[in-house]
Amino acid sequence: MNWLIIANSQDDENLIQLRNFLENKHGVIPYEIIVGNGLPKDELFEASRHVSQATHCLVTDSSKMENIDDYVFLMGALCGNNVKTYIYQSKAHDDKFEVLTKAGLSHSNIYNNLSELQRNLEADYQSFERADNQKQALVQLFTLGIPFTSDCYATYIAKDDTDICKLFADAGMLCNARTSEGTPLISIATRNDCADKVAWLYEQGADINAISTDRGYSPVMDAVWRKNLKITEYLISKGADLNFISSDGQPIMVLAVGNGDAKIVELLLNHGADPDLKDSMGMSARTYASLFKRPDLVELINKYPPKDN
């Protein structure tokens, strides 16, 4: 962010207060324009240059400057550049400033109380930082030649590239975004055994039960398919649905028995997965365990008798 403060004099107490607020509270060093009774041409040019680069501006007291042509010119430039401006005004403005206000101070807030200005500025500051971080992250991605798309984001999730993934998140890519094939980002992380990225996306608010369009699996089904005990445990701990049936009619327990990983089968059973849910062929995990001649899995499943017995 590029902050300006426009004041009437260096001794302005409001200038000192607002400068300290930005510097001490937020570590921001603002550029200060001291209007006085008017600016020499070279100083006005320099001030105009800073106005063109500014993102935010504070005016210490427009009532003391509104009859100064250079101040009116700078305010017009702020309007033209859509600079968010907080204006303190100790008394009613004159006709000239009224015209300026009506001409386009839509990006400005005018206050008759400096403390109120400062309170509102503090309330808005976090959103300013977020917007600035988003802009900077987008610039970094473009500088690196990385398109801001969900497919590209998915690529770097699969690579477990934390720095680039953070840029995508900071730039505003939603944690529940999907690839062009309809795969949720949390499923991409799961399918590539990126446990840290699964947790990172979940902490950002990713839907733990999002269903992929390409495969019809939930993230925990992808974890079971990958035989990834760590990610399976994590998703279960966060409340993943263990009795979901995929779009092709496959319950998670059937998938687990088919994969033959006894630890995952036991984990699912211990957390409420139903071994008697039937797939599209009318077969259950209990049936498949016997069919595949897996006495270890049969023994595990038989600890959980059918509910209708």
Side-chain angles (χ1 to χ4, degrees), residues 276 286 304-309:
D276 295 303
R286 190 184 302 274
Y304 300 85
K307 293 179 181 178
D308 55 353
N309 282 357

Side-chain angles (χ1 to χ4, degrees), residues 32 54 82 137 233 269 307:
E32 298 174 8
N82 295 325
E233 287 178 323
L269 289 167
K307 293 179 181 178

Side-chain angles (χ1 to χ4, degrees), residues 261-276:
D261 191 312
K263 288 184 178 180
I264 287 181
V265 168
E266 184 175 21
L267 175 68
L268 294 172
L269 289 167
N270 288 342
H271 287 85
D274 187 349
D276 295 303

Side-chain angles (χ1 to χ4, degrees), residues 25-298:
K25 184 115 186 201
H26 296 289
V28 172
I29 308 298
Y31 182 81
E32 298 174 8
I33 299 174
I34 307 301
V35 175
N37 294 319
L39 295 169
K41 185 177 294 186
D42 58 336
E43 291 185 23
L44 181 61
F45 176 81
E46 183 67 9
S48 300
R49 185 176 68 82
H50 281 278
V51 166
S52 69
Q53 297 172 349
T55 57
H56 304 82
C57 180
L58 301 175
V59 176
T60 62
D61 191 349
S62 66
S63 302
K64 296 179 179 179
M65 299 179 281
E66 58 192 23
N67 291 314
I68 301 172
D69 289 340
D70 289 345
Y71 172 70
V72 176
F73 168 77
L74 292 173
M75 293 303 295
L78 289 168
C79 291
N81 286 284
N82 295 325
V83 177
K84 180 67 175 177
T85 305
Y86 291 77
I87 301 170
Y88 171 62
Q89 177 181 285
S90 59
K91 61 182 181 179
H93 49 243
D94 67 7
D95 292 341
K96 181 187 292 185
F97 200 75
E98 181 71 33
V99 171
L100 176 63
T101 303
K102 291 180 178 179
L105 283 175
S106 59
H107 286 75
S108 302
N109 296 326
I110 300 175
Y111 299 89
N112 299 119
N113 183 293
L114 190 66
S115 295
E116 182 185 1
L117 181 156
Q118 196 163 315
R119 282 195 303 272
N120 280 274
L121 175 59
E122 178 63 23
D124 294 341
Y125 201 88
Q126 188 174 8
S127 66
F128 295 156
E129 285 187 316
R130 187 164 51 248
D132 188 62
N133 289 339
Q134 182 174 346
K135 179 180 178 181
Q136 295 303 319
L138 280 169
V139 168
Q140 289 184 62
L141 286 172
F142 292 147
T143 300
L144 293 169
I146 301 173
F148 184 63
T149 67
S150 58
D151 284 340
C152 282
Y153 192 7
T155 297
Y156 286 95
I157 287 174
K159 292 179 178 179
D160 206 8
D161 190 322
T162 298
D163 291 339
I164 300 298
C165 286
K166 188 175 185 306
L167 284 178
F168 272 99
D170 288 346
M173 184 66 73
L174 298 177
C175 60
N176 282 310
R178 293 170 175 258
T179 67
S180 56
E181 294 182 343
T183 308
L185 296 175
I186 194 169
S187 296
I188 294 293
T190 303
R191 294 178 188 182
N192 288 276
D193 301 315
C194 299
D196 289 344
K197 292 299 172 291
V198 171
W200 184 66
L201 288 165
Y202 173 77
E203 288 163 6
Q204 290 182 60
D207 182 359
I208 202 169
N209 292 310
I211 309 306
S212 61
T213 303
D214 60 345
R215 187 179 294 166
Y217 281 9
S218 65
V220 73
M221 289 191 78
D222 279 317
V224 170
W225 171 70
R226 289 291 301 170
K227 300 184 181 181
N228 192 311
L229 183 63
K230 180 179 180 179
I231 294 179
T232 303
E233 287 178 323
Y234 176 80
L235 293 171
I236 289 174
S237 75
K238 299 304 180 182
D241 182 1
L242 300 185
N243 290 312
F244 166 76
I245 297 177
S246 68
S247 58
D248 64 356
Q250 188 176 43
I252 192 168
M253 280 300 300
V254 168
L255 176 62
V257 168
N259 269 0
D261 191 312
K263 288 184 178 180
I264 287 181
V265 168
E266 184 175 21
L267 175 68
L268 294 172
L269 289 167
N270 288 342
H271 287 85
D274 187 349
D276 295 303
L277 283 178
K278 292 180 171 56
D279 65 11
S280 57
M281 298 176 64
M283 302 278 282
S284 69
R286 190 184 302 274
T287 310
Y288 280 117
S290 298
L291 182 65
F292 296 156
K293 300 185 183 335
R294 288 293 305 266
D296 55 334
L297 301 186
V298 171

